[in-house]
């Protein structure tokens, strides 16, 4: 029964990752994008929403019991995705190619496929990772909004 619950969680996380990173085919090309780079087009709030969905994948991975090192890698993937995505226009294009959620699902699947003993989730470590990620996103969103405000002030003279 526990294995079925984990399998169900992994399936759900795969679907979420696909929706965020690969759900929309670009006509005439082999490339796909998801909702994450589209959300990133909304200054500040879009990056926060995308990061929140990505953090959910990390939270579920922790619940499954992956080790600290992989949780740290997953959060770094999200942080890099958020930092890159915060750069106007160029960042949104890079965000569409980085696909942090797909990378995190690959990490989770690699762990899932390797025979390792079940580990107890280190919730304290996870909370610190997610608090740090949240603070980074808030700072990035604030900087993005300040940039836009400055740009508008220059345009309006």
């Amino acid at each position: 029964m526990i294995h079925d619950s984990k399998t169900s969680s992994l399936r759900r996380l795969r679907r979420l990752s696909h929706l965020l990173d690969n759900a929309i085919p670009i006509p005439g090309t082999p490339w796909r994008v998801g909702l994450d780079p589209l959300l990133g087009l909304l200054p500040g709030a879009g990056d926060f929403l995308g990061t929140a969905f990505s953090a959910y994948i990390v939270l579920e991975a922790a619940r499954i019991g992956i080790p600290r090192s992989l949780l740290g890698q997953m959060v770094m993937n999200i942080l890099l995705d958020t930092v890159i995505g915060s750069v106007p226009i160029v960042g949104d294009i890079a965000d569409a190619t980085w696909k942090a959620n797909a990378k995190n699902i690959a990490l989770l699947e690699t762990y899932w496929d390797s025979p390792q003993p079940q580990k107890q989730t280190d919730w304290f470590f996870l909370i610190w990772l997610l608090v740090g990620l949240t603070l980074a996103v808030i700072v990035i969103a604030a900087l993005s909004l300040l940039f836009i405000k400055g740009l508008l002030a220059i345009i309006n003279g």
Side-chain angles (χ1 to χ4, degrees), residues 6-156:
K6 286 184 180 180
T7 302
S8 174
S9 292
L10 185 57
R11 196 172 323 133
R12 186 176 64 253
L13 296 176
R14 279 186 192 129
R15 283 193 305 265
L16 177 59
S17 171
H18 179 76
L19 179 65
L20 292 171
D21 288 346
N22 294 306
I24 305 164
I26 299 175
T29 73
W31 300 312
R32 303 176 74 83
V33 296
L35 294 180
D36 188 34
L38 298 177
L39 287 171
L41 295 173
L42 302 170
D47 291 326
F48 185 77
L49 283 172
T51 302
F53 286 125
S54 298
Y56 172 75
I57 292 172
V58 175
L59 184 64
E60 284 295 302
R63 194 180 62 75
I64 289 171
I66 71 168
R68 280 181 164 198
S69 60
L70 289 181
L71 288 174
Q73 279 183 277
M74 292 173 87
V75 168
M76 288 306 295
N77 284 337
I78 296 168
L79 187 57
L80 187 58
D81 183 57
T82 303
V83 169
I84 290 170
S86 68
V87 178
I89 301 170
V90 174
D92 295 312
I93 294 168
D95 189 24
T97 60
W98 176 248
K99 301 181 186 281
N101 299 299
K103 290 179 186 308
N104 287 345
I105 291 299
L107 288 171
L108 183 56
E109 288 174 337
T110 299
Y111 173 78
W112 182 268
D113 292 339
S114 62
Q116 298 177 8
Q118 176 66 30
K119 295 183 180 182
Q120 182 69 26
T121 301
D122 187 348
W123 291 106
F124 185 73
F125 178 74
L126 177 66
I127 288 168
W128 275 110
L129 278 178
L130 294 179
V131 165
L133 179 62
T134 301
L135 290 175
V137 170
I138 289 169
V139 167
I140 290 167
L143 291 174
S144 295
L145 292 175
L146 286 174
F147 175 78
I148 291 169
K149 183 179 177 184
L151 190 59
L152 289 175
I154 291 170
I155 291 170
N156 292 330

